[in-house]
Amino acid sequence: MNPKADFYFNKSEKWQKELKKLRRIALDCGLTEELKWGVPCYTLQGSNIVLIHEFKEYCAFLFFKGSLLKDPKGILIQQTKNVQAARQIRFTNVREIGEKEAVLKDYIREAVEVEKAGLKVDLKKTAEFSVPEEFQKKIE
C-alpha cells in the first residue's frame, strides 16, 4: 500500500467500502500502487495496468489496455465510442465486487500478461483540426 493513495480511499463518501475492496484485489495481484491523475493506479515495472476511480453512479476498475483483453464474462465496458484502448468494469455495491473477486483477479493477471508481452493497441487516427483558408489570414 502506498500511503500517498490513502487520502483517495478515505475521502470517498459513497464508495469507501467498494474502493477499499478493489484496492485489496489489485494489491493481491502483486501490482505496485501509485497515485496518478489523483487516483490510485496499479503498475507493473512502471507500466500502467489498472486504476480505480469513482463516479456519481458507480465505481470502477479501468484497464488501460482493456480492448486487448479477451473478456469471456462480457463485463468490460467502453466508456464512450471515442475511447480506443481503455475498458471499465463497473460496480454499484461491495457485494458485487466480492462475488466477482476471482474473475477480477483473472482479468488483472491477463492485463499483466498483455503488458509483459509488449502488446499495443492499434489506435485509429483521429480527425485533425484545420482552420479554413478564409480564416487563416485573420489568425496570422
Side-chain angles (χ1 to χ4, degrees):
M1 285 187 176
N2 183 338
K4 290 180 182 176
D6 286 345
F7 90 93
Y8 186 83
F9 297 98
N10 295 330
K11 76 175 177 87
S12 178
E13 293 177 21
K14 186 172 183 178
W15 303 109
Q16 197 169 87
K17 285 186 245 172
E18 291 81 2
L19 297 176
K20 287 182 177 180
K21 181 96 172 155
L22 292 174
R23 181 185 206 185
R24 190 184 55 71
I25 291 169
L27 291 171
D28 283 353
C29 292
L31 299 177
T32 301
E33 184 176 66
E34 299 183 36
L35 192 63
K36 295 184 178 186
W37 311 284
V39 298
C41 181
Y42 299 86
T43 64
L44 176 74
Q45 299 170 344
S47 295
N48 300 329
I49 303 295
V50 65
L51 62 76
I52 295 172
H53 57 157
E54 65 177 323
F55 296 89
K56 186 176 179 182
E57 301 298 325
Y58 62 89
C59 60
F61 263 151
L62 180 131
F63 291 87
F64 286 87
K65 294 181 180 177
S67 64
L68 298 177
L69 301 180
K70 292 182 182 92
D71 194 20
K73 301 291 183 185
I75 57 177
L76 291 173
I77 296 169
Q78 184 177 2
Q79 278 179 278
T80 69
K81 65 179 181 148
N82 296 323
V83 174
Q84 295 183 47
R87 297 292 183 271
Q88 293 180 332
I89 301 176
R90 297 176 180 175
F91 309 97
T92 57
N93 62 66
V94 74
R95 179 187 44 77
E96 187 180 14
I97 296 168
E99 290 170 355
K100 290 183 177 150
E101 184 169 348
V103 170
L104 296 173
K105 288 180 178 180
D106 287 343
Y107 277 62
I108 291 172
R109 284 191 279 275
E110 183 183 356
V112 165
E113 291 307 313
V114 162
E115 196 57 44
K116 284 181 178 177
L119 300 179
K120 305 275 184 219
V121 176
D122 289 329
L123 299 175
K124 298 175 199 159
K125 193 169 184 171
T126 56
E128 293 183 28
F129 177 76
S130 61
V131 177
E133 199 173 312
E134 62 267 21
F135 297 111
Q136 282 288 358
K137 290 182 178 141
K138 292 179 181 180
I139 295 172
E140 297 169 352

